[in-house]
Amino acid sequence: MISRLLKNPQFRLAAICSVAVFVFPSCFSRPGGHDGYQQSAYTVRGQHYQPMGIDEALDYQETGTCSWYNESSWFGLKRGTTSLGEKVMPWHLTGAHKTLPLPCLVKVTNLENGKSLKIRINDRGPFIPGRILDVTPRAAKKLGFYDQGTTTTRVEVLSVGDGSYKRKKRGWFF
C-alpha cells in the first residue's frame, strides 16, 4: 500500500512539504517570532528596566550619548541575534535602546555633524551608564562617528511596531 502511495506524485509532493515544515520550521515562521510589540520588563546586572507604553514612546525624544556595538564574533563570520530573535547582519541599520518598545523606528541625529538616519530599534541596551543608544557599525559610519566610538545624538521616535501593528506618530493636524 505504501509503495502505491509513493508512486502518486501529489502524495510525494505533500509528503516532502510536510517534512520540510518540520525540518526547517524557522523558514516558515515570522522573523523574531513576535507579534505586536515587546514591552515586557527585564533585569540586567541587577538593574530592573520597564519599557514604556506605546503612546509614551510615540512622543519620545531624548538627547544623549550614542555608541556603536557589534554582535558578530569569530572574525565577523558568526552573527549575533537581537532581543527580538533577529539575526544582525552587517548591512542592517538597527540599534538598541533600554526602554523603547520593540520594534520601533527612530530618527537619530548626530548633533556634532548634523547627519541623521532612520534606524530600527530591535534590541536592548546599551547597559553602560550615561549612554542612551547603541547602533550597528554601519549606522555609526553613516552618522559619522564610527572612528570616535561615541557621539552626542538626538533620538526621536517615528513609529512603533511592524506590519498591521505599526503605529505612527500623529502629525500636527491629525
Side-chain angles (χ1 to χ4, degrees):
M1 180 172 151
I2 292 186
S3 64
R4 271 192 313 192
L5 286 175
L6 291 176
K7 290 178 184 178
N8 183 341
Q10 287 92 6
F11 179 79
R12 280 191 301 205
L13 180 62
I16 290 170
C17 291
S18 298
V19 169
V21 168
F22 290 109
V23 173
F24 306 108
S26 63
C27 297
F28 300 97
S29 63
R30 284 185 54 140
H34 72 281
D35 283 322
Y37 322 103
Q38 188 181 85
Q39 294 176 273
S40 46
Y42 64 100
T43 304
V44 173
R45 298 184 196 132
Q47 176 73 39
H48 182 76
Y49 298 94
Q50 177 62 53
M52 58 184 84
I54 305 304
D55 292 327
E56 182 184 358
L58 288 171
D59 292 328
Y60 176 83
Q61 287 187 22
E62 187 176 9
T63 300
T65 302
C66 176
S67 56
W68 64 268
Y69 72 119
N70 194 350
E71 286 285 330
S72 64
S73 62
W74 206 70
F75 306 107
L77 299 174
K78 184 178 177 191
R79 298 287 162 198
T81 56
T82 68
S83 295
L84 289 179
E86 300 169 346
K87 288 282 186 195
V88 179
M89 300 309 273
W91 54 85
H92 287 166
L93 294 172
T94 60
H97 192 275
K98 290 182 273 245
T99 57
L100 284 172
L102 301 179
C104 69
L105 184 67
V106 298
K107 178 182 176 185
V108 181
T109 304
N110 183 342
L111 298 178
E112 295 176 13
N113 62 17
K115 292 182 180 180
S116 65
L117 184 64
K118 291 179 185 178
I119 66 167
R120 184 171 187 264
I121 303 296
N122 64 351
D123 205 359
R124 292 290 179 214
F127 300 111
I128 298 172
R131 296 192 187 169
I132 63 166
L133 188 69
D134 264 348
V135 297
T136 55
R138 180 167 181 236
K141 288 175 185 173
K142 285 187 167 279
L143 288 167
F145 75 93
Y146 181 82
D147 292 331
Q148 299 117 280
T150 62
T151 191
T152 304
T153 57
R154 182 175 58 249
V155 179
E156 305 169 63
V157 172
L158 302 175
S159 67
V160 177
D162 282 337
S164 63
Y165 293 93
K166 188 173 189 173
R167 291 196 43 206
K168 293 182 179 181
K169 191 173 188 173
R170 291 182 176 242
W172 195 66
F173 284 110
F174 301 102

